[in-house]
Amino acid sequence: MKKTSTRLADGRELIYYDLRDDAVRDAADRRPLERTVTTSEIRHDELLGDAVAIASHRQGRTYHPPADECPLCPSQGERLSEIPDSSYDVVVFENRFPSLAGDSGRCEVVCFTSDHTAFFADLSEEQVQLVLDAWTDRTSELSHLPSVQQVFCFENRGAEIGVTLGHPHGQIYAYPFTTPRTALMLRSLAAHKDATGGENLFDAVLERELAGERVVLEGEHWVAFVPYAAHWPYEVHLYPRRRVPDLLALDEGARSEFPQVYLELLRRFDRIFGEGEPPTPYIAAWHQAPFGQLEDFEGVSRDDFALHLELFTIRRTSGKLKFLAGSESGMSVFINDVPPERAAERLREVASS
């Protein structure tokens, strides 16, 4: 992998990740951009104990542009985009309309390929390996920013999810706090460790799932399963067999096997609802341990946390979506229409040839 860092016309950082060591990335951003002005603010909810990002400048972000005006495609002639060069393998750049900025963190966009019509599942294993390298590198770099406590790499796929740019891309959020979802995991981890005399909850969950009926696929280094209490109609958790706190700690075996396993999962997701169905909308979310000390979670260290990826869709059956209505949105109590055991069975049925 070759990494080349440069700056866009408004001062934002852009980084090329190339498969070839001889790639030259010296194209300048020729757009007449002014400096990006953001109004991001983190407000804490005293009753719920969580946080909300207030970012009014995002109202003006790019919204469903035609393909020939996509800001994530390479620049061609006088059609200038966020990527100055005429081609790229993987690109990461600071979001022009970030939810988090300055002391409130940082938001980045990850372009998986220059091919506007592709999906992540269309990538080669070599390309996926490069994306994994980019996620890992950004996790490392962002973790050293003074304002950052947790790094979240994710992909939203599909208009049903709320994606406003059709180009294959993901995002990275660097939060200045431990997110509420991670805090819940850490509290459960601490309580289980105390109650069992030291047992790790992530290890116990993985051991239980491996012995059960919800495993979707297994590799030498990775295991994918539908969790016992899945929130979403089709939800898969992907764990490395060896517990590690973050992407940086994956060994070479796990890193090498990941592209094959992950591409298989994504391709199965597109087969869930049968032939002729539109691509399955999904969210793919990496869960990594926060950086720094975990003083609020007594008895737990970063090494107790287990890196894992959660992949889920909001489509519950052909032509129907799972909406977060009264119970889910009002009380945070999910109601799942698809039994996790049946979801796992279906995902095994649609194994690619």
Side-chain angles (χ1 to χ4, degrees):
M1 179 190 77
K2 181 180 180 181
K3 175 183 175 182
T4 306
S5 180
T6 185
R7 292 282 170 179
L8 296 173
D10 55 7
R12 288 175 295 132
E13 185 178 18
L14 180 143
I15 306 160
Y16 294 98
Y17 293 90
D18 285 294
L19 292 168
R20 293 171 55 95
D21 289 337
D22 60 354
V24 177
R25 300 299 185 184
D26 56 5
D29 185 1
R30 294 181 285 132
R31 297 172 298 170
L33 298 180
E34 297 182 355
R35 285 274 174 174
T36 300
V37 178
T38 62
T39 56
S40 180
E41 174 190 359
I42 300 295
R43 296 188 181 182
H44 294 275
D45 187 316
E46 294 178 324
L47 292 179
L48 297 181
D50 59 11
V52 177
I54 309 297
S56 60
H57 63 276
R58 285 175 52 79
Q59 285 281 39
R61 66 188 184 275
T62 308
Y63 187 80
H64 292 297
D68 60 357
E69 296 179 16
C70 175
L72 306 185
C73 288
S75 293
Q76 298 288 341
E78 295 306 309
R79 189 174 75 81
L80 306 178
S81 73
E82 289 280 65
I83 296 91
D85 215 322
S86 59
S87 67
Y88 64 84
D89 291 335
V90 173
V91 166
V92 177
F93 60 88
E94 289 184 75
N95 198 321
R96 191 175 178 185
F97 304 96
S99 303
L100 309 167
D103 292 339
S104 296
R106 176 158 157 153
C107 292
E108 298 182 340
V109 176
V110 184
C111 297
F112 303 135
T113 172
S114 60
D115 184 352
H116 182 83
T117 63
F119 294 119
F120 199 113
D122 297 324
L123 301 181
S124 68
E125 291 185 16
E126 185 181 37
Q127 289 173 302
V128 175
Q129 188 70 59
L130 185 61
V131 174
L132 177 62
D133 289 342
W135 282 333
T136 305
D137 182 69
R138 296 315 301 153
T139 296
S140 176
E141 293 290 330
L142 293 171
S143 72
H144 289 95
L145 296 180
S147 63
V148 172
Q149 189 167 337
Q150 186 171 358
V151 178
F152 175 46
C153 307
F154 65 100
E155 180 195 2
N156 299 328
R157 204 275 288 268
E160 301 95 327
I161 296 294
V163 175
T164 57
L165 296 176
H167 197 100
H169 73 287
Q171 299 181 65
I172 302 175
Y173 278 22
Y175 299 98
F177 51 81
T178 297
T179 62
R181 184 79 177 273
T182 303
L184 283 173
M185 293 185 200
L186 290 169
R187 284 196 287 272
S188 296
L189 189 63
H192 184 85
K193 189 174 184 179
D194 181 64
T196 60
E199 183 181 66
N200 184 280
L201 179 56
F202 286 110
D203 293 350
V205 167
L206 184 56
E207 182 179 357
R208 182 193 67 200
E209 294 293 355
L210 280 169
E213 58 182 315
R214 289 179 296 273
V215 172
V216 173
L217 64 87
E218 298 183 57
E220 181 182 354
H221 300 279
W222 294 89
V223 177
F225 59 88
V226 177
Y228 171 74
H231 289 58
W232 299 95
Y234 291 91
E235 175 182 337
V236 175
H237 292 192
L238 178 62
Y239 278 69
R241 290 182 183 271
R242 183 178 70 88
R243 172 166 44 90
V244 295
D246 52 39
L247 291 166
L248 283 72
L250 288 174
D251 59 27
E252 284 306 310
R255 298 185 69 83
S256 296
E257 187 182 72
F258 173 77
Q260 176 188 352
V261 173
Y262 189 46
L263 286 172
E264 173 68 14
L265 273 182
L266 293 181
R267 290 163 185 169
R268 291 191 192 192
F269 255 59
D270 276 342
R271 294 186 177 92
I272 292 172
F273 303 105
E275 296 295 329
E277 288 290 321
T280 302
Y282 65 73
I283 293 175
W286 280 109
H287 292 268
Q288 305 191 78
F291 291 91
Q293 299 299 313
L294 304 178
E295 295 92 347
D296 295 335
F297 310 99
E298 187 175 352
V300 171
S301 70
R302 291 193 77 248
D303 289 337
D304 291 317
F305 194 86
L307 167 77
H308 61 285
L309 183 142
E310 295 186 11
L311 174 67
F312 60 89
T313 180
I314 63 170
R315 186 179 293 164
R316 56 187 175 87
T317 190
S318 179
K320 298 179 181 179
L321 300 181
K322 165 64 179 177
F323 292 102
L324 301 190
S327 185
E328 292 90 352
S329 294
M331 285 288 126
S332 293
V333 178
F334 274 68
I335 301 169
N336 190 350
D337 301 309
V338 181
E341 293 74 23
R342 174 55 191 149
E345 181 182 18
R346 179 59 182 159
L347 284 161
R348 291 192 296 269
E349 288 173 352
V350 296
S352 62
S353 57

